[in-house]
Amino acid sequence: MRVGDSHYRTIWLEGNSVYMIDQNQLPFAFGIKKCEDWLETCSAIRSMNVRGAGAIGAAAGFAMAQAYMAGFHPEEALHKIRSTRPTARDLFYAVEKVYHAGQISVNNAVNVAQGIADENSEAGRKIGIAGENLIKDGDRILTHCNAGWLAFVDYGSALSPIYQAHREGKEVMVYVDETRPRSQGARLTAWELMNEQIAHKIIPDNAGAYLMGNKKVDLVITGADRIAANGDAANKIGTLEKAIVARFYGIPFYIAAPGSTFDVNTPSGSEIVIEERNQDEVNYQSGTDPTGNIQTIRVTNPGSQAFNPAFDVTPAALITGYITDKGIFSSQDIRIRLQSGSL
Ligand code: MRU
């Protein structure tokens, strides 16, 4: 992804340190955060300086490699990295792979962690090529949260087909759900689309049904954090509502994700652990004041409690298809491919 004149990956390993685009500063400032040891990388995952299933997968793999490089007790590091965030499958996929690789040698752990990041970037590129076929010139596409290049090492999942369609000269218009409470749509997806010069409008989270009911949306594409063996998909809270509305109005609803997000060991969505985050994310918002200073303000009734589940699960029955790095599949195909290990 280009930012100004430079190409950036969302996260990378250099020497013993992990570098990442600090997503908590975006879109108001562009900064790179350096994590000098695996504990700092863990805290960056927890605080969402790096976020999005693929990107936290790469971060978790790098953190495990850092623990090996530091000579830290690997089982303890594995346990701590796994506990940073519970829902995204990529995190567990990556940390376990690097843990096993490190049993052979420290170098092997580092190489496998680098390989996971490369694999994630390449999967995003292939998702773009597969999904682009679904997009017609002039389409208006609704997306939720940020499943772009910031949520991956590069390219993204849900946004990758949109970038590819745009590169091929198709006119697209993207409706970006703001995605409260952390506003990954309004802050990150909008920032990415602006960098790529793709037409887009940020919409309030509760505007999707109005737009779909008024024939202003041709296609919905979102990402996923974990997809169960039966095709049920966990994604950012609010995705389920979009899927229900899309089905009601006969609008195709696609989930885009790489093979590392599919979890053959979780039979259905009801077994997916849903992260509950701090209520302050609902009660407070940050942004810039008219002079450009970043301020955090309370936006809810002082004294009220808030509830902040970070994800919901969309049943496979509401999903038109899955855009993967291996092609586009129905939930039935997904079940067969997962059983045969070909995803
Ligand atoms: O809590 P986040 O921002 O890490 O949420 C995860 C996501 O980015 C989304 O659910 C996204 O749509 C799927 S991740 C590619």
Side-chain angles (χ1 to χ4, degrees):
M1 167 81 191
R2 288 196 80 75
V3 182
D5 288 334
S6 310
H7 177 270
Y8 280 91
R9 279 187 164 194
T10 303
I11 180 161
W12 65 96
L13 178 72
E14 226 175 88
N16 288 2
S17 297
V18 175
Y19 295 81
M20 59 187 70
I21 294 173
D22 186 351
Q23 302 195 39
N24 284 339
Q25 290 187 40
L26 287 173
F28 308 111
F30 181 81
I32 304 296
K33 183 175 170 62
K34 179 179 180 186
C35 299
E36 292 184 355
D37 63 36
W38 71 277
L39 283 169
E40 276 183 28
T41 308
C42 284
S43 95
I45 297 172
R46 218 174 283 111
S47 319
M48 293 177 68
N49 303 95
V50 60
R51 49 138 300 278
I56 60 174
F62 287 149
M64 193 69 231
Q66 282 179 302
Y68 273 117
M69 285 191 277
F72 195 84
H73 194 262
E75 279 73 30
E76 198 179 318
L78 173 70
H79 175 71
K80 282 219 168 93
I81 299 165
R82 283 170 60 103
S83 69
T84 50
R85 293 195 70 192
T87 305
R89 148 91 172 137
D90 291 67
L91 186 150
F92 295 84
Y93 165 84
V95 72
E96 278 154 24
K97 210 167 161 181
V98 179
Y99 167 76
H100 291 299
Q103 301 290 306
I104 296 168
S105 72
V106 174
N107 260 355
N108 195 41
V110 172
N111 290 340
V112 168
Q114 296 279 23
I116 288 168
D118 292 344
E119 177 190 288
N120 182 263
S121 163
E122 181 59 9
R125 191 183 69 78
K126 289 181 174 162
I127 287 169
I129 290 166
E132 182 273 333
N133 294 306
L134 297 170
I135 299 174
K136 296 186 296 301
D137 191 31
D139 267 357
R140 296 143 318 160
I141 303 163
L142 186 141
T143 191
H144 191 71
C145 193
N146 172 264
W149 70 280
L150 289 167
F152 273 68
V153 174
D154 212 340
Y155 293 98
S157 55
L159 297 188
S160 189
I162 296 172
Y163 295 147
Q164 185 62 23
H166 180 71
R167 272 182 226 115
E168 295 190 10
K170 293 179 187 170
E171 290 279 336
V172 286
M173 157 72 195
V174 184
Y175 286 114
V176 180
D177 283 344
E178 60 176 344
T179 320
R180 279 279 283 143
R182 291 186 68 100
S183 303
Q184 291 96 327
R187 297 167 75 111
L188 306 176
T189 298
W191 182 78
E192 281 191 29
L193 291 170
M194 194 185 70
N195 279 321
E196 293 281 337
Q197 300 183 325
I198 293 177
H200 64 279
K201 285 198 171 94
I202 299 164
I203 56 170
D205 281 328
N206 38 12
Y210 168 81
L211 287 169
M212 289 192 239
N214 283 283
K215 301 193 184 326
K216 291 188 189 298
V217 176
D218 302 295
L219 179 63
V220 181
I221 312 179
T222 76
D225 294 275
R226 188 182 292 257
I227 303 174
N230 70 345
D232 293 350
N235 193 50
K236 184 52 58 190
I237 192 82
T239 304
L240 172 60
E241 287 176 21
K242 307 304 159 191
I244 292 168
V245 175
R247 174 56 56 91
F248 185 80
Y249 287 114
I251 296 165
F253 177 93
Y254 283 89
I255 293 271
S260 49
T261 303
F262 290 83
D263 181 6
V264 70
N265 296 319
T266 296
S268 74
S270 53
E271 285 89 28
I272 297 177
V273 178
I274 301 295
E275 177 181 13
E276 196 183 314
R277 292 189 61 87
N278 195 301
Q279 57 175 309
D280 284 355
E281 292 183 348
V282 178
N283 288 329
Y284 294 87
Q285 285 236 273
S286 65
T288 47
D289 66 18
T291 57
N293 292 319
I294 294 185
Q295 304 283 358
T296 300
I297 55 166
R298 175 132 194 160
V299 292
T300 60
N301 179 50
S304 291
Q305 299 289 303
F307 173 51
N308 187 14
F311 301 93
D312 57 26
V313 175
T314 299
L318 294 177
I319 300 169
T320 310
Y322 304 77
I323 310 169
T324 76
D325 46 320
K326 306 256 177 9
I328 301 174
F329 303 112
S330 66
S331 56
Q332 206 185 346
D333 296 337
I334 289 290
R335 278 194 284 269
I336 296 165
R337 283 188 166 255
L338 267 182
Q339 290 311 326
S340 65
S342 55
L343 249 186

